[in-house]
Amino acid sequence: MTPTEMTKVGVKMYGRKKWKACLARDLGVDVSTIHRIGKKDRVPSVYEIAIAGMIHNWEARQELEKQAKKLGIGRKK
């Protein structure tokens, strides 16, 4: 995974404004770590694996919410 791909994933999951802070929180690291990773050629494998799992989970959750909405059992706010 490249830092550009990490950015795309972060923006997709968390939005453009706070993706770095939210990704750092969910990875259990300081936001400065996300900044440092962004300057590398490749995302270190330990973070790449974690981010891949997070995006998989996020996409599955999006699909479940879509199906629940079709069935009229969406989340109450």
Side-chain angles (χ1 to χ4, degrees), residues 12-31:
K12 181 177 181 179
M13 291 192 320
Y14 302 111
R16 182 157 303 282
K17 279 190 167 185
K18 296 187 177 185
W19 75 268
K20 288 181 183 179
C22 293
L23 182 61
R25 178 199 64 215
D26 290 350
L27 288 173
V29 299
D30 190 80
V31 73

Side-chain angles (χ1 to χ4, degrees), residues 1-3 5 36-45 48:
M1 173 182 286
T2 66
E5 292 168 331
R36 278 195 309 276
I37 291 171
K39 295 181 187 301
K40 295 181 179 274
D41 292 333
R42 301 275 313 156
V43 174
S45 60
E48 182 177 357

Side-chain angles (χ1 to χ4, degrees), residues 2 5 14 17 20-21 23-24 33 36 43 53-57 59-60 63 73 75:
T2 66
E5 292 168 331
Y14 302 111
K17 279 190 167 185
K20 288 181 183 179
L23 182 61
T33 301
R36 278 195 309 276
V43 174
M54 290 166 59
I55 191 67
H56 177 75
N57 183 35
E59 288 172 341
E63 182 60 28
I73 56 173
R75 240 191 297 180

